[in-house]
Amino acid sequence: MTALFRSSVLQLLLLAAIWGASFLFLRIGVPVFGPAKLIFLRVALAAVFLSGVALWLKQGLALRGNVQHYFVIGVLSAGLPFLLYGYAAQSLNASMLAIVNAMTPIFGALVAAIWLRIPLRPLAMLGLALGFGGVLLIVGADLGTRGAQDWLAYLAALGAPFCYAIATSYTRKYAAAIPPFAQAHGSCWTAAIATLPLALWLPARAEPVAGDWLAVLALAVLCTGWAYLIFFRLLASIGPARTMTVTFLIPVFGVLWGHLFLGESITLIMLAGGVIVLLGTALANGLIGRRGD
C-alpha cells in the first residue's frame, strides 16, 4: 500500500510537471508555426505515438459505433481547446495560461450540474464563485498593463477549460463504455483531422529551427501522448477523485517553468488569485468540506 501511494504521488507530480510544461512549449512554438500548424502537429504526432503504443499493447481502436464519439471528444478535448490556448499564447504568458487552466474542474462541476443534473452543494456553489473571482482578480490586474484587445486572448484561454468541461460531461453521458486508452488514441486522430484544414490554410510565421521542432515533439509526445498514458494509469489505480488533484499542481509547475525558462515575472496578485482559484476548485469538486456539507 505504501509503495502504491508513493508511486501514485510521483506519477501525479510527473504528470503535473509535464502538463505545466505544455504552456511553456506553446509559447515557444506559436510565434514560429502559428496556432493552427502547431496544434495540428501536436495532435497528429501524438496520434502516431499512441498508435505505436497501441500496437505494442495490442489494443484496438474500438471504431465500431464509436467514430462519432471520437470526433466529439477529439474536437472538444484536444483540437478546439488546444487551438484556443495556441491563440491565447500569442499574447499571454505561460504562467497566466497555466493558472486559467485551473478553471477546468470548476467549469466541469458547472456543466455537469446543468447537463447531467448533478446537484451542486452549497460549498460547491461557493467554490464556483471563488474560482471565477480568482480569475477575475488575475485578469483584471493583468489587463491594467495591457490594451483592450487582450480581452480576446483571455476569453480564448477561458474557452479552453470550458471545452474540457463539456467533453468530460459528454464522455460521461455517451461514451463511458469506451476504454480510456481507446478514447485518448481515437480522439487524437479525430483532432488531427479536424485541425488539418486550418493548418493547410494558415501559413507558418517563420522558418523553424531545431529547437522549434523539439518544442513540437515535446508537446506531442511528452505533453499529449505520454501524459495520456500516465493519466489513464492513475485513473485505473487511484480513481478519478484523487487523479483530479493534479489540477492543483499544474499551475505551480506552469508558473515555475515560465519563470525559469522564459523569465516571466511572478506577482503577488498572480499568487493570490491562483490560491483563490485552487481553493474554489477544491470546494467545487468536494475535495474540501465533503463531510461537513
Side-chain angles (χ1 to χ4, degrees):
M1 187 70 175
T2 303
L4 175 63
F5 175 78
R6 190 161 48 239
S7 173
S8 300
V9 169
L10 289 175
Q11 288 181 71
L12 277 171
L13 288 172
L14 178 61
L15 183 60
I18 290 171
W19 273 342
S22 66
F23 302 106
L24 165 69
F25 297 127
L26 273 176
R27 288 283 293 171
I28 294 171
V30 161
V32 178
F33 295 94
K37 274 189 169 53
L38 179 66
I39 298 313
F40 167 74
L41 289 169
R42 175 180 184 175
V43 292
L45 291 173
V48 172
F49 170 78
L50 289 174
S51 292
V53 175
L55 287 173
W56 180 50
L57 298 176
K58 298 181 180 179
Q59 292 200 22
L61 255 179
L63 286 174
R64 187 173 182 178
N66 293 323
V67 173
Q68 71 275 22
H69 297 314
Y70 289 150
F71 266 100
V72 174
I73 296 169
V75 169
L76 290 175
S77 70
L80 183 54
F82 289 174
L83 283 171
L84 289 170
Y85 274 138
Y87 173 83
Q90 298 174 113
S91 304
L92 307 182
N93 61 32
S95 302
M96 288 294 180
L97 295 173
I99 292 172
V100 170
N101 185 73
M103 289 292 292
T104 299
I106 293 177
F107 282 139
L110 183 61
V111 171
I114 295 171
W115 189 3
L116 304 181
R117 308 286 184 181
I118 297 176
L120 285 172
R121 302 168 300 111
L123 278 180
M125 289 187 281
L126 173 62
L128 291 175
L130 278 175
F132 284 115
V135 169
L136 287 176
L137 174 64
I138 297 168
V139 171
D142 190 51
L143 282 177
T145 63
R146 295 172 175 265
Q149 68 274 13
D150 288 321
W151 273 107
L152 285 176
Y154 273 111
L155 288 174
L158 284 169
F162 188 67
C163 288
Y164 293 147
I166 297 174
T168 300
S169 285
Y170 177 91
T171 302
R172 188 169 180 176
K173 187 175 180 67
Y174 298 110
I178 303 175
F181 179 81
Q183 284 186 35
H185 185 193
S187 63
C188 278
W189 280 116
T190 54
I193 293 169
T195 55
L196 177 59
L198 268 180
L200 292 174
W201 180 45
L202 297 174
R205 297 179 176 175
E207 187 69 29
V209 297
D212 302 319
W213 285 111
L214 286 175
V216 171
L217 285 174
L219 265 177
V221 177
L222 183 65
C223 301
T224 309
W226 191 33
Y228 275 153
L229 296 179
I230 300 172
F231 177 70
F232 289 121
R233 188 185 304 139
L234 284 168
L235 283 177
S237 62
I238 63 175
R242 289 178 179 175
T243 302
M244 188 173 57
T245 58
V246 74
T247 308
F248 289 84
L249 301 170
I250 292 173
V252 175
F253 283 101
V255 171
L256 177 63
W257 300 148
H259 177 68
L260 290 178
F261 296 105
L262 298 177
E264 297 176 358
S265 60
I266 301 174
T267 66
L268 286 176
I269 289 180
M270 184 189 299
L271 292 174
V275 169
I276 293 171
V277 170
L278 294 178
L279 177 60
T281 298
L283 289 170
N285 290 274
L287 298 177
I288 294 178
R290 187 187 295 273
R291 291 185 179 180
D293 187 26

